[in-house]
Amino acid sequence: MKPFDDLARYQPQVQGALRIVTASQFIEHGTKKLFNFPGHQTRRHLERAAPGSRHLEFAGGIPLALLTRPVASLLCGEMAIAYFMAHMPHDFFPVNNGGDAAISLCFIFLYLVFAGPGALALDNRRSA
């Protein structure tokens, strides 16, 4: 038996944790842009963010628990647009243009589109 084979049984729980933690961080990005919470954000950063992104980031994490695949698809697209419009024009490399989080979130959401919500999701109650 391979050393990591036993871990596969926890895949739904870890996938659910990935979804929940990512949604929480996404909501935090929205609250920072909409309400300057948590603080220490410059006004320039708030003005730079596209108005639609503020609302998607704040409210997008909440329905991720209800309709994971369609919402994750929308948020994946939003993060791809955010990267190419807000980060890539400054520099090609993500480490230099501050787009690391946008790329990571884009691919996490893409993964959730294909893999589904995992454990602890309201989606699972609908299909049961």
Side-chain angles (χ1 to χ4, degrees), residues 6-70:
D6 287 341
L7 295 178
R9 66 181 160 166
Y10 299 108
Q11 185 267 336
Q13 290 80 10
V14 173
Q15 190 172 324
L18 173 70
R19 178 182 45 81
I20 292 166
V21 169
T22 302
S24 299
Q25 289 180 325
F26 207 62
I27 292 167
E28 186 178 359
H29 277 271
T31 60
K32 194 160 185 89
K33 290 176 184 171
L34 281 172
F35 311 117
N36 197 25
F37 177 80
H40 305 298
Q41 184 159 345
T42 64
R43 191 77 199 149
R44 194 176 112 236
H45 184 259
L46 290 171
E47 292 165 357
R48 240 182 14 208
S53 71
R54 297 172 191 165
H55 295 85
L56 277 174
E57 290 172 11
F58 173 64
I62 297 165
L64 196 58
L66 303 171
L67 302 165
T68 301
R69 285 185 160 129

